[in-house]
Amino acid sequence: MSSSADRVTFRVLVYSDDSGTRREVITALGTTLHPDLPDLEFVEVATAPMLLKRLDDGVVDVAILDGEAAPAGGMGMARQVRDEYEPCPPLVVLIARQADRWLAGWSRADAVAGVPVDPMELSRTLVDLLR
């Protein structure tokens, strides 16, 4: 019989300068997305330097980046991460306006989700990326 310590987890980095946005993402996703996928463990970061440090540490399986983060927005950071990291984890950019979808495309993110966070939309997006 395996213990909970033996369970595989996906480490989800949540980048936002807004602790409320980080909390909203974590609450929306919970610890279990789908019975066929590993549990989720969250790594919260509020600054671009910490985002890059966590990526350098190799502790990220997927990253959710707040497009409205300041001073370094999630879309610009997504593009930088895509250019500088190989392999690059899947990237999800949170956008506040549908009009920003084109900019999210420019960022080369793998997926886009809206804020305020819709738990069903974000969960579906992550399940699709992690499968």
Side-chain angles (χ1 to χ4, degrees):
M1 183 169 240
S2 68
S3 71
S4 61
D6 295 333
R7 287 196 48 89
V8 174
T9 59
F10 278 131
R11 290 159 310 213
V12 180
L13 181 137
V14 182
Y15 166 67
S16 179
D17 65 315
D18 182 339
S19 63
T21 299
R22 294 192 311 268
R23 187 172 37 259
E24 196 176 345
V25 167
I26 292 167
T27 301
L29 294 174
T31 57
T32 305
L33 272 179
H34 189 278
D36 295 337
L37 292 173
D39 290 341
L40 302 180
E41 176 182 305
F42 295 95
V43 178
E44 292 184 65
V45 296
T47 65
M50 284 306 295
L51 164 65
L52 299 176
K53 179 176 181 349
R54 292 295 176 237
L55 290 168
D56 288 341
D57 292 345
V59 299
V60 177
D61 294 308
V62 62
I64 300 173
L65 311 172
D66 180 1
E68 302 295 318
M75 287 183 256
M77 292 308 301
R79 188 166 179 98
Q80 179 179 344
V81 167
R82 179 71 63 205
D83 287 345
E84 295 179 4
Y85 287 85
E86 182 61 43
C88 181
L91 305 171
V92 178
V93 172
L94 300 176
I95 60 172
R97 302 172 307 159
Q98 287 301 314
D100 288 336
R101 280 195 177 276
W102 74 270
L103 191 54
W106 166 86
S107 77
R108 300 191 355 234
D110 297 291
V112 175
V115 287
V117 174
D118 175 337
M120 295 300 290
E121 174 197 16
L122 186 57
S123 295
R124 232 183 344 264
T125 298
L126 219 52
V127 166
D128 290 346
L129 278 178
L130 296 175
R131 280 196 163 158

